Amino acid sequence: MTSRASSSPQPSVALREILAFDDGGSLRLLLAPAGHDVGVRGVAVGDEGPARPLDGCLVLLTGPPSASPDAAEPVRAAANRGASGVVLREVEGVAASPQVLAAAEEAGVAVLTRAEWADWTDTAALLRSALACARAGRDDESPGRPVAGGAESLSALAAAVAEYTGGSITIEDTRLRVLAHSATGPDADALRRSTILGGRVPQWRIAELRRSGMLRALWTSRDVIHRAADADGPERLIIAVRSGPEVLGSIWVAGDGRPLRAGAADALRRAADVAAPLLVRHRLRESGAARRSELALRGLLYGDGDARTHAWSLGLSPDAACAVVVAERLAAAPVPGDRTLDVLALQAVTYRPSVRVLRDGDRLLVLLPVEAGPARGALALARELAAQAPPGGAGVLAGAGPAVAGAPGVRASCEEALLIVRVLRKRADTDGAGARKPYADAAGVGPSLDIARVLDAARPVWEAGNGPVHELVRTDLAAGGELVRSLAAYLDASGDVVRAAARLVVHPNTLRYRLRRARERFGVDLDDPDTRLLVTLAVRLTG
């Protein structure tokens, strides 16, 4: 990545103001040798490219994390180029390296860390928005630049814009959800009341705005849109809020039974500038909360970290009974346009309000509290998911893990659900899709579940061993695997040569010849019980 600092000097902003802007907790200050009021002029990305001045910048060091001593040298390099502080990646639960802190102390630069659940793009956007918001607040205090009065929140901004425009304000995101609004007067129209009470613009109104072209005009215009009063409502002014080319949301002003003030449009233009960093902060807060939840759910399902802490982070009681359901496409790879997992995720989240869903590659993992009883338990959800494949999409396999007493048992439930799906997939490959139910719990797959566990446990032992059976399998698989397939069919048929030959579509004498070849060439005698067991495990492990 290339280092970029501001091309022209910008007024500095105190580090404490930037930290105050981060109400989502994605940044943490470890060290500030020059104090919390050290000035920050911009944001830059550190690299090993040409050394450019970084006067007053906060530098994002995307290489080694704060816990690594290797991060000390990039910290010194940033300080030598004039940086006021650096941001390093945090490793959760691991303290910063003493070498890094010593280097920063010696160089006099502040050290911040970026939370593990955040990413560098969002961190850069947060810092730039904090700078813009602080500077906009100062501009608002300048003579002739009224609007936000240094508003530090969307609610404060809505109240300030209402005062300067003489109207009622809603600030909305791009999904037309209400993020903030001014006080509602007695003359507010029914649409405004409905929008505020519902927390979003009603669907019928969105459809009307789309048909009339108003939404298209709003998202493409860079100026205030005026809508005159009519029989359906009062006079309105609307402006899109942008960060560069990206639309972040919009501000709506309604007359509420009285004319808007003469300078309302100018006030609204200024409000859009002030709102931009606040909407960026709101978006980052939302995405940060979603990433924190995903990280906690992933840790709980896969047993990474403290299970009880993850449960609290998800808003769940760590002692509540729960189970895990795993769903996968039957097809190994999705066809273009296949929305199977998207449909499954929607189905799962509507199954019960407390359900948590994790999309992990081509797999869906569902954490299901089971307080509602077996009628709406894990197996019932697995059955529903297996029946939800959209038209033209792949079939679905769903495994229901056992109910466990609390968060510490979630990993075991998840592992069993994953194993059940593996068994279902093997059955589908062997018997053909549709031959058996595409969903099951442990009882539904019977001994096959324990066999899968045994094979998993035996695999390292098999791979580390050697001997006649290993030589047979290794040599034959390299030549195409005909003998291994013949052994597998013979064992599956319980030693019945005629039945095994029919399955292989060969003459029984051909199969007898192959079995004799295994004994004569490799010394593998299937009449010996131990050898027979080892061959059985070998052909299962090698597929």
Side-chain angles (χ1 to χ4, degrees):
M1 303 178 74
T2 303
S3 298
R4 289 189 180 92
S6 301
S7 58
S8 59
Q10 292 284 341
S12 65
V13 173
L15 179 60
R16 69 171 68 252
E17 294 181 75
I18 293 173
L19 294 172
F21 188 83
D22 174 34
D23 54 4
S26 63
L27 293 174
R28 186 159 69 99
L29 179 64
L30 299 185
L31 185 69
H36 291 193
D37 290 320
V38 62
V40 177
R41 294 184 181 276
V43 180
V45 179
D47 67 340
E48 296 178 356
R52 300 182 182 181
L54 297 172
D55 295 340
C57 282
L58 270 180
V59 181
L60 309 184
L61 298 179
T62 60
S66 61
S68 171
D70 294 340
E73 186 53 40
V75 169
R76 291 190 191 93
N80 290 338
R81 292 160 62 188
S84 58
V86 296
V87 183
L88 297 163
R89 175 169 55 90
E90 181 180 70
V91 178
E92 187 175 0
V94 182
S97 164
Q99 292 93 325
V100 170
L101 297 179
E105 183 75 49
E106 181 183 350
V109 295
V111 177
L112 296 83
T113 55
R114 183 213 82 191
E116 195 170 26
W117 49 261
D119 62 30
W120 287 116
T121 301
D122 284 353
T123 302
L126 172 70
L127 293 171
R128 291 183 179 118
S129 296
L131 290 168
C133 189
R135 288 166 181 153
R138 294 172 187 175
D139 290 343
D140 292 336
E141 296 168 0
S142 303
R145 301 291 300 277
V147 159
E152 295 179 355
S153 71
L154 290 172
S155 295
L157 177 62
V161 178
E163 179 182 349
Y164 282 104
T165 61
S168 295
I169 309 300
T170 57
I171 301 176
E172 301 166 11
D173 64 12
T174 52
R175 288 188 280 176
L176 301 184
R177 297 179 301 174
V178 177
L179 305 179
H181 61 87
S182 61
T184 302
D187 297 325
D189 63 293
L191 175 60
R192 174 177 165 77
R193 291 182 181 277
S194 174
T195 298
I196 291 174
L197 288 174
R200 60 173 298 126
V201 177
Q203 287 297 329
W204 65 265
R205 175 62 168 171
I206 295 175
E208 180 184 274
L209 293 172
R210 189 175 286 114
R211 283 194 304 270
S212 68
M214 175 62 76
L215 277 185
R216 178 178 176 81
L218 174 61
W219 301 141
T220 57
S221 173
R222 290 187 172 271
D223 203 358
V224 174
I225 297 174
H226 178 258
R227 184 165 181 167
D230 55 26
D232 295 327
E235 176 186 15
R236 279 184 166 82
L237 296 177
I238 316 118
I239 191 169
V241 179
R242 298 174 180 274
S243 176
E246 183 183 9
V247 178
L248 301 171
S250 56
I251 305 176
W252 297 65
V253 183
D256 272 2
R258 61 185 185 276
L260 297 175
R261 294 181 179 173
D266 286 337
L268 194 55
R269 292 184 189 97
R270 181 63 190 146
D273 292 338
V274 177
L278 297 175
L279 284 177
V280 168
R281 176 166 65 174
H282 171 80
R283 178 177 292 186
L284 294 176
R285 190 187 306 125
E286 274 199 336
S287 64
R291 275 197 291 273
R292 284 195 297 271
S293 294
E294 179 181 335
L295 194 65
L297 182 55
R298 185 180 297 275
L300 184 58
L301 291 167
Y302 291 125
D304 184 13
D306 183 69
R308 298 180 68 85
T309 300
H310 290 324
W312 285 123
S313 299
L314 293 166
L316 302 174
S317 168
D319 300 314
C322 52
V324 176
V325 176
V326 173
E328 295 180 2
R329 298 184 188 90
L330 179 57
V335 297
D338 182 12
R339 297 183 59 251
T340 299
L341 290 186
D342 295 333
V343 172
L344 296 186
L346 290 172
Q347 177 71 9
V349 296
T350 57
Y351 186 76
R352 192 177 299 156
S354 53
V355 159
R356 301 290 188 274
V357 178
L358 176 68
R359 173 80 175 266
D360 189 11
D362 288 333
R363 174 183 295 150
L364 203 71
L365 299 98
V366 183
L367 179 64
L368 173 71
V370 295
E371 71 276 2
R376 293 278 285 170
L379 184 60
L381 176 57
R383 180 173 59 247
E384 287 195 21
L385 295 180
Q388 286 301 316
V396 173
L397 301 173
V404 293
V410 168
R411 177 181 180 178
S413 182
C414 181
E415 288 176 346
E416 185 159 312
L418 288 166
L419 210 53
I420 290 169
V421 171
R422 257 176 53 196
V423 173
L424 292 174
R425 186 174 297 283
K426 185 174 187 228
R427 287 182 174 180
D429 292 341
T430 303
D431 303 336
R436 306 197 202 191
K437 289 180 180 178
Y439 66 91
D441 57 7
V445 293
S448 297
L449 184 62
D450 286 331
I451 292 298
R453 289 195 179 101
V454 168
L455 291 175
D456 283 348
R459 185 176 300 279
V461 178
W462 163 257
E463 291 176 348
N466 54 61
V469 177
H470 288 80
E471 184 183 354
L472 182 154
V473 171
R474 184 168 52 250
T475 302
D476 186 64
L477 288 180
E482 180 184 80
L483 187 52
V484 170
R485 287 192 295 274
S486 298
L487 291 172
Y490 175 75
L491 293 168
D492 286 346
S494 301
D496 187 327
V497 172
V498 174
R499 186 152 56 95
R503 180 175 179 180
L504 291 167
V505 195
V506 298
H507 193 278
N509 286 340
T510 301
L511 178 56
R512 290 187 183 98
Y513 166 74
R514 292 175 182 174
L515 296 176
R516 188 166 60 251
R517 185 156 57 95
R519 182 173 61 253
E520 294 174 351
R521 180 179 176 186
F522 297 100
V524 174
D525 183 4
L526 294 180
D527 292 333
D528 176 64
D530 289 343
T531 300
R532 191 163 58 245
L533 176 59
L534 183 57
V535 172
T536 301
L537 289 173
V539 296
R540 290 291 188 94
L541 289 169
T542 56

